[in-house]
Structures are given as structure tokens and as C-alpha cells.
Amino acid sequence: MSDQLRPETLALHTGIHRSQFNEHSEAMYLTSSFVFDSAAQAAARFAGNEAGNIYSRFTNPTVTAFEERLAVLENAETCIATSSGMSAILACVMGLLSAGDHIVASRSLFGATVNLFNNILKKFNIETTFVSATDASAWENAVRPNTKLFFLETPSNPLTEISDIAELARIAKKANSWLVVDNCFCTPILQKPLELGADIVIHSATKYLDGQGRVLGGAVLGQRDLLMDGGIYGFLRTAGPTLSAFNAWVILKGLETLTVRMETHARNALQMAQWLESQSNVTRVFYPGLMSHPQHDLAKRQQRSGGGIVTFEVKGGKDAAWHVIDSTRLISITANLGDAKSTLTHPATTTHARISQEARDAAGISDGLLRIAVGLEAVQDLQDDLARGL
Ligand SMILES: *Cc1c(COP(=O)(O)O)cnc(C)c1O
């Protein structure tokens, strides 16, 4: 498919390989293995002398279609699909790193990612230094001779801090390290980290890429040699956390509406953020699209809009925050995000409950903080729903 086409077109027309039935919607290939014409063909496939599918832990046509479509959206040479966002991160570190290597990572990462780096990789003698998402000099100072990888999410969860991808890419390059960006919050519709100098993009396809909260999935994107020869694909093919054809099909169809969904999520979120700023019981609103956001200018340069996540702090701490949650009738009380339906969560007692009060205070995650992943509902209905508890 020509790369002259625009993202909304590519999201619909990339990765179509019709079968002999000429179906219009993409077929789903639910099969674990593939049949060979002859013993010689089987041998040629296994030897890598002939292209083609062998077994769905290695490749599957539906998974390939999803990979091709996401790759053009991220402007990546190669995409490798995984069974979840966490297995995308796992494949990345297992493929690229060895015992004795060191990671510099943002302090504001998804909880399971922190857990993976801190508790699991540490067992294999891979150490991580966590630094401020927004202080580039802290990243530079954390570099050691054995540093191999920089890892960040921007905007961060839940405080929507913005990391300067281009600046950190320069520092990573100087440190002979790869920069990995988890692009879950923005999706390629709002931000393309590879164009800003990142080496690898990670996705939890479970979130906006699916967009309707149905299945788990993930992806690793970047240059072909790094992904294929760097050991990431080899890890997946051998260890097995590959994406199922069913999930790939669901997310592939989700990508078709990604542009319109992200635009609406962001438009609704900006209206919600502005409205929340005017509420007397709301002490602070964190949203990159607001002028009051400390990195509003950087966000404007780096992202096409502020995205769909708004975090705000209410007067009265935990009791007041829980009251807002328990007064809703429409918004779902769930820690998931990126769904067409709005979701509301209290980070201090859910997603960030396992870290100490001190660490939460240091990270700015106060007891009065609430995070809303703004969905596709009418904004007025969402405002009415929150107003009940505010
Ligand atoms: C959800 C999430 C993940 C993990 O993805 P799963 O699909 O749940 O494994 C990683 N990073 C971010 C930013 C997320 O929100």
C-alpha cells in the first residue's frame, strides 16, 4: 500500500490479502498450523528457504494483517504482535538485553512494567534506575557503562507528564542505548515516537487500538534488523507469547476506526478538562491540552492533541474522591482505559495501591486524585454524572 496515503486511509486499506472467496471484510484464520504441498515444501519452509506460514506461534495471516496495518500507522519498518502489552515489553527486554545490562526508566510507568523491571528482571541481574519523566539531565546522569535501554511512557499515567522524546533519543544515542517508548496513551494517530528518534515503540493493543475493551494484545515496532536479528522475534517464536488470530482480527478491525475514535476521545477529554477546571471542589486538573499543564508547549509540539485521559484532584482526600466514584451512574468504575465507554479510577487505592504512601506522595499521586479515561459518550452526560458527586 502506498505510503502517500493518509493515516485514516491506511488504517482501512493496509494488510488486506483476500482469499479465493474475495471476501470484503478481512478473513480470520483460526488455525494452529498450515499444510504443505509436499515433504520437500515442508523442509524448505522449516529451513527458511521458502516464505510461508508453518505454525501460528511463528506467523499467522490474520496476525500478519494486523502487524502490517499497525506498522504503516506508526511509520515503522516492522511490527511484531504479542499476546498483551506486557508480553510486548517482556519480548523487548528478553530479546535485547543480557544479564549484567542496565535500564534507565521513567519513574512514571505502568505498575506492571515497574514490577517487571524491579522484581523479575532483577532476578536475571538486569538492574533499572528510575528517574523523573520530565528531567532530561537525570536520564543523562543515570547512564552507566552497561546501560543498554531507556524506557518511557508519555503522557504518563496518571499525572499526564510529558517526556521530550527527541531530547531523550539524543541522550540515548550518546549513551549507546536504545530508546523504547510505550505509546499506549497517544496511539500513532496522536504521536509517532519513531519519527522523533525512538528506536522501538511498544503498544498495549488492549487499550485504544482495540478500543472497545474486548481482548488483550500488544505489539513491538521498529527497524527490521533490530526486531528480527536483535532477538525480539526469536524470543516470541520460541517462548510463545504470540498474539492469537482471533484477538488479531478484533484489533485489526479496531484500527479501522482508530482515527475517528482518537479525535473524539481527545475532543471530549479537552471539554471535560476545561469543565473540571471550573468546578469549585476540584483543586487541580492534569491534561496536556490545557494551558495550565506545565508542559503544554512540549505536548503541542509532540502530540497532535491532548489525548483521552484526564486526571483531577478533589478537595477532601480519599473520602471525597470515593464519593465522586460512588455517585456515578453512567461512568464505569474500572481501571481499564481506552474503551469507547468512559472509565473512572482512584489511583491511590487501585493502580498505585501497592506502592508505599511515601512513594505515592513523591510521585504526586494524592488521595484526592481521580483518573477518567474519557469515552465517546455525549460530554454533557459525563459532566452530569460527575457533577452528582462533586
Ligand atoms: C495496560 C498498559 C500496559 C500493559 O498492557 P496489557 O495489554 O494489559 O498487558 C502497558 N503500558 C501501559 C501504558 C498500559 O496502559
Side-chain angles (χ1 to χ4, degrees):
M1 194 62 53
S2 159
D3 51 20
Q4 310 293 336
L5 296 172
R6 287 149 191 83
E8 50 272 48
T9 310
L10 295 170
L12 291 159
H13 290 275
T14 307
I16 295 175
H17 307 280
R18 296 206 163 93
S19 77
Q20 75 269 33
F21 300 116
N22 251 342
E23 65 283 351
H24 185 220
S25 178
E26 295 75 357
M28 188 187 341
Y29 293 93
L30 280 183
T31 179
S32 49
S33 68
F34 299 84
V35 178
F36 310 111
D37 292 337
S38 63
Q41 187 184 44
R45 291 263 174 100
F46 271 88
N49 296 331
E50 180 187 299
N53 298 296
I54 298 173
Y55 187 59
S56 285
R57 175 152 40 79
F58 309 167
T59 57
N60 171 285
T62 313
V63 175
T64 303
F66 162 68
E67 290 169 337
E68 289 175 0
R69 195 169 284 185
L70 186 58
V72 291
L73 289 177
E74 281 287 4
N75 205 1
E77 199 173 60
T78 301
C79 172
I80 303 175
T82 60
S83 60
S84 69
M86 287 319 300
S87 61
I89 299 172
L90 178 69
C92 194
V93 294
M94 293 303 271
L96 296 178
L97 304 184
S98 305
D101 288 343
H102 174 245
I103 301 172
V104 183
S106 163
R107 200 182 283 149
S108 314
L109 291 181
F110 185 67
T113 311
V114 175
N115 220 344
L116 172 69
F117 288 2
N118 255 345
N119 301 328
I120 297 175
L121 294 187
K122 198 172 261 172
K123 289 199 303 183
F124 299 92
N125 196 24
I126 294 171
E127 243 192 285
T128 305
T129 305
F130 292 94
V131 294
S132 157
T134 57
D135 178 4
S137 63
W139 290 73
E140 201 154 20
N141 293 334
V143 170
R144 300 179 190 169
N146 58 339
T147 303
K148 284 276 177 63
L149 198 97
F150 281 25
F151 193 100
L152 63 88
E153 278 165 36
T154 178
S156 74
N157 179 20
L159 294 174
T160 72
E161 296 161 289
I162 309 290
S163 297
D164 189 333
I165 297 174
E167 173 75 10
L168 292 174
R170 273 192 294 277
I171 296 171
K173 193 165 206 143
K174 237 174 61 191
N176 267 321
S177 298
W178 296 292
L179 173 61
V180 181
V181 176
D182 182 333
N183 201 25
C184 174
F185 273 36
C186 273
T187 81
I189 304 305
L190 304 186
Q191 169 174 283
K192 290 187 174 61
L194 297 173
E195 292 181 354
L196 297 166
D199 298 289
I200 287 183
V201 162
I202 293 288
H203 272 289
S204 168
T206 314
K207 313 293 169 55
Y208 289 108
L209 303 189
D210 170 9
Q212 295 176 60
R214 297 167 292 196
V215 297
L216 294 181
V220 186
L221 298 107
Q223 291 204 325
R224 193 179 160 78
D225 359 337
L226 185 57
L227 266 54
M228 303 307 282
D229 309 336
I232 298 172
Y233 173 68
F235 171 78
L236 279 168
R237 179 180 162 128
T238 305
T242 38
L243 185 64
S244 81
F246 179 83
N247 289 11
W249 183 84
V250 170
I251 305 164
L252 175 71
K253 301 305 282 180
L255 290 181
E256 294 186 354
T257 55
L258 186 62
T259 313
V260 286
R261 284 189 287 107
M262 290 315 291
E263 284 170 357
T264 306
H265 280 298
R267 192 172 56 242
N268 287 358
L270 178 60
Q271 287 178 32
M272 288 301 287
Q274 287 166 337
W275 175 81
L276 283 163
E277 263 193 331
S278 73
Q279 298 302 299
S280 56
N281 280 330
V282 174
T283 44
R284 267 191 87 178
V285 182
F286 302 85
Y287 183 67
L290 289 176
M291 301 278 278
S292 60
H293 191 283
Q295 296 139 312
H296 178 66
D297 290 336
L298 171 60
K300 263 175 81 173
R301 278 204 308 279
Q302 189 166 278
Q303 308 176 192
R304 230 175 75 191
S305 72
I309 311 290
V310 181
T311 300
F312 59 103
E313 187 181 61
V314 295
K315 265 184 211 156
K318 183 191 132 185
D319 290 347
W322 279 26
H323 178 69
V324 173
I325 292 182
D326 291 334
S327 302
T328 58
R329 293 177 199 160
L330 180 68
I331 301 173
S332 313
I333 308 169
T334 166
N336 196 24
L337 62 94
D339 197 294
K341 301 181 185 77
S342 291
T343 62
L344 183 62
T345 191
H346 182 240
T349 53
T350 59
T351 52
H352 294 71
R354 288 211 278 175
I355 63 175
S356 68
Q357 178 82 45
E358 276 168 343
R360 271 202 303 276
D361 290 345
I365 299 165
S366 70
D367 288 348
L369 210 65
L370 289 165
R371 187 198 74 195
I372 178 166
V374 181
L376 306 180
E377 298 93 342
V379 174
Q380 185 65 55
D381 291 333
L382 297 175
Q383 292 171 354
D384 292 348
D385 205 36
L386 286 184
R388 263 191 288 275
L390 285 172

